[in-house]
Amino acid sequence: MRRPDGRFKRLLLHPVRSLPVGFLAVILLGAGLLLLPQARTDADVDALMPALFTSVSAVCVTGLITVDTSTFWTPFGQAVILGLIQVGGFGIMTLATLLALLVRKNLGLRGQLVAQSETQTLNFGDVRTVLVRVARIMGIFEVTTAVFLSVRFWIAYDSSPATALWHGIFHAVSAFNNAGFSLYSDNLIGVAEDPWLIVPICVAIIGGGLGFPVIIALMRDGARFKAWSVHVRLTVYGTLALLGLGFALFAAFEWNRPETLGGLSTGGKFLAALAGTVFPRTAGFNSIDYGAATPETLMVTNVLMFIGGGSAGTAGGIKITTFLILGFAIWNEVRGREQVTIAHRSISSSAQRQALSVALLGVAAVIGGTLLLLMLTDYSLEKVLFESISAFATVGVSTGITYHLPPGAQWVLMALMFIGRIGTITVASSLALSAKPRLYHLPEERPIIG
């Protein structure tokens, strides 16, 4: 007879269940480290909620904060946050599997399933190669960005070499992992017109937001567009379309408003508009005060945040491939086609169902979180909805209300961040791993639609 603890262990170590358990363990560890007296500037202040909220935000690479990162936390505390961002962006299970691979030189079936569920690798044989490539890609992006930023901080902002290097590394890691944590109280508003800082940060954000499978495919195929898979095409073309549309709308709504872009130079306006469409793609930095933005800008930002970036990367949201597959499904339905086709390829019905499930669960999470925040606070629907989407999509942009939320509302945001980072991956993986062919067909009915 099998022992109950053995059965519990098997349930806990299931490739899909081990992912949220691993993230939760790292969150608790990070919160414990941030509770140490040497992690904050005032050792006497109650830091339980700030430590837990910051740990959740960092591990889920969101960027929402209830305390000022630059003044509340010491360099040690900031280093802990940086480590949590790096681990959360790389992936808890991916990191653990990579370490096991380095130690044991091979992976068992369970290890391959765990890594496959998080990296969304299609074939078992690809897992080892993908893990190594992911580590290299992350290292190249972060080191290159850190060099650019460190030199700029050193030359243009009178920072000491050590301070410039620390700020460069912190913001580079935060950018590529789409975390949005900054060592400045006003985030990036003070450097909104500096292209030597904003452009490298935007490039790192877009790189991390594309997703590792897309980056690997682009490194292999380059500009041979015909060799691109449907996933690569959807991600790349969709990203370009959203960046272009977001830039145009952001600039149109804020160009002459003194509260946001109006006081900047022409070049600064273009740069801030670029940042305004890149940062909401789950990065969380901000170079304007979103509390002063127009309702139209907030609505556009809501859409960009909810869609998010590419799959199997550091971005959040429902993912751009999910959004576009649903869009193509609607387009083909309107045209009366039974098959959904993209780039002369048919999309399986299982992929369509998975996309629909992820999108609707995302909508449900945002609606539920928004309703709870409305019950727990006195803020308007506009600000609460913005905060909920930002948390669920692991963006981190805020209209400024996060600092003033009561503990109950903070718990709601923490749940949304955790669901946003873990939930969509877990749902997609569980649907893929549990898919079983049905050996029979039930009688069909056609309910009235619309």
Side-chain angles (χ1 to χ4, degrees):
M1 185 174 180
R2 292 172 178 170
R3 296 181 300 173
D5 58 338
R7 180 179 300 176
F8 176 76
K9 183 178 179 180
R10 288 196 308 275
L11 290 174
L12 193 63
L13 293 179
H14 188 279
V16 173
R17 298 185 188 93
S18 60
L19 185 60
V21 171
F23 268 81
L24 183 60
V26 175
I27 286 171
L28 296 177
L29 175 62
L33 292 174
L34 291 176
L35 283 173
L36 296 175
Q38 57 266 38
R40 54 190 186 276
T41 54
D42 186 354
D44 297 327
V45 70
D46 182 14
L48 178 59
M49 283 301 293
L52 185 59
F53 191 94
T54 302
S55 183
V56 173
S57 184
V59 174
C60 296
V61 290
T62 305
L64 286 175
I65 54 174
T66 56
V67 293
D68 189 346
T69 306
S70 61
T71 59
F72 189 88
W73 305 109
T74 64
F76 171 77
Q78 294 169 3
V80 171
I81 294 172
L82 183 66
L84 295 175
I85 292 171
Q86 186 71 81
V87 172
F90 189 75
I92 308 299
M93 295 299 103
T94 305
L95 181 61
T97 307
L98 180 61
L99 292 176
L101 179 63
L102 293 175
V103 172
R104 299 202 307 261
K105 306 298 182 182
N106 59 63
L107 287 175
L109 179 59
R110 185 181 299 279
Q112 294 187 56
L113 282 170
V114 167
Q116 188 187 31
S117 67
E118 191 169 44
T119 61
Q120 298 185 24
T121 308
L122 296 179
N123 300 313
F124 284 145
D126 296 336
V127 171
R128 176 173 179 155
T129 303
V130 167
L131 291 177
V132 175
R133 286 181 178 176
V134 165
R136 288 176 179 173
I137 291 169
M138 180 171 280
I140 291 171
F141 266 96
E142 291 179 353
V143 170
T144 304
T145 307
V147 169
F148 274 97
L149 299 183
S150 298
V151 171
R152 186 59 177 174
F153 283 130
W154 180 34
I155 294 176
Y157 295 92
D158 297 325
S159 299
S160 65
T163 300
L165 180 62
W166 170 237
H167 284 201
I169 293 174
F170 189 96
H171 289 89
V173 172
S174 184
F176 181 75
N177 289 284
N178 282 221
F181 279 86
S182 176
L183 295 180
Y184 299 102
S185 298
D186 61 353
N187 207 276
L188 298 181
I189 294 178
V191 297
E193 296 189 77
D194 189 342
W196 297 99
L197 292 178
I198 298 298
V199 172
I201 288 175
C202 286
V203 171
I205 290 169
I206 294 172
L210 286 175
F212 296 114
V214 173
I215 297 176
I216 292 172
L218 292 177
M219 292 172 61
R220 182 187 65 240
D221 300 326
R224 293 187 295 118
F225 304 118
K226 293 184 178 180
W228 287 7
S229 66
V230 171
H231 175 75
V232 173
R233 296 186 186 197
L234 288 176
T235 304
V236 174
Y237 295 148
T239 296
L240 292 175
L242 288 178
L243 289 177
L245 182 61
F247 174 86
L249 293 175
F250 190 96
F253 294 141
E254 302 293 338
W255 191 265
N256 293 317
R257 299 188 69 247
E259 299 90 345
T260 52
L261 302 186
L264 304 178
S265 63
T266 302
K269 290 180 180 181
F270 276 102
L271 198 62
L274 172 66
T277 188
V278 172
F279 293 168
R281 302 289 310 288
T282 81
F285 291 111
N286 65 283
S287 57
I288 69 159
D289 180 7
Y290 279 92
T294 64
E296 294 85 356
T297 299
L298 295 182
M299 188 63 213
V300 171
T301 305
N302 281 337
V303 173
L304 292 175
M305 291 192 299
F306 187 75
I307 295 174
S311 301
T314 60
I318 63 171
K319 302 300 188 297
I320 191 168
T321 48
T322 302
F323 174 76
L324 290 179
I325 285 176
L326 292 177
F328 275 101
I330 294 172
W331 175 246
N332 282 270
E333 184 66 27
V334 169
R335 298 179 68 184
R337 293 182 175 179
E338 293 187 2
Q339 274 193 329
V340 176
T341 58
I342 304 175
H344 304 292
R345 295 290 187 274
S346 61
I347 305 301
S348 67
S349 58
S350 62
Q352 297 175 53
R353 291 195 301 271
Q354 291 174 27
L356 182 62
S357 299
V358 169
L360 289 182
L361 288 173
V363 171
V366 169
I367 291 176
T370 301
L371 181 60
L372 288 174
L373 289 178
L374 286 172
M375 295 168 58
L376 295 169
T377 69
D378 297 324
Y379 293 108
S380 65
L381 173 61
E382 180 181 87
K383 292 189 175 182
V384 166
L385 177 63
F386 190 90
E387 203 82 4
S388 295
I389 296 177
S390 181
F392 167 77
T394 67
V395 179
V397 177
S398 175
T399 56
I401 69 174
T402 317
Y403 285 93
H404 312 293
L405 293 177
Q410 292 181 30
W411 280 105
V412 173
L413 289 185
M414 284 189 280
L416 284 174
M417 288 188 285
F418 189 80
I419 293 171
R421 178 60 176 156
I422 308 302
T424 53
I425 300 176
T426 303
V427 169
S429 300
S430 62
L431 289 173
L433 291 175
S434 62
K436 297 178 181 179
R438 179 175 286 180
L439 302 179
Y440 59 91
H441 290 279
L442 296 173
E444 289 187 359
E445 279 199 29
R446 188 177 180 84
I448 299 174
I449 305 297

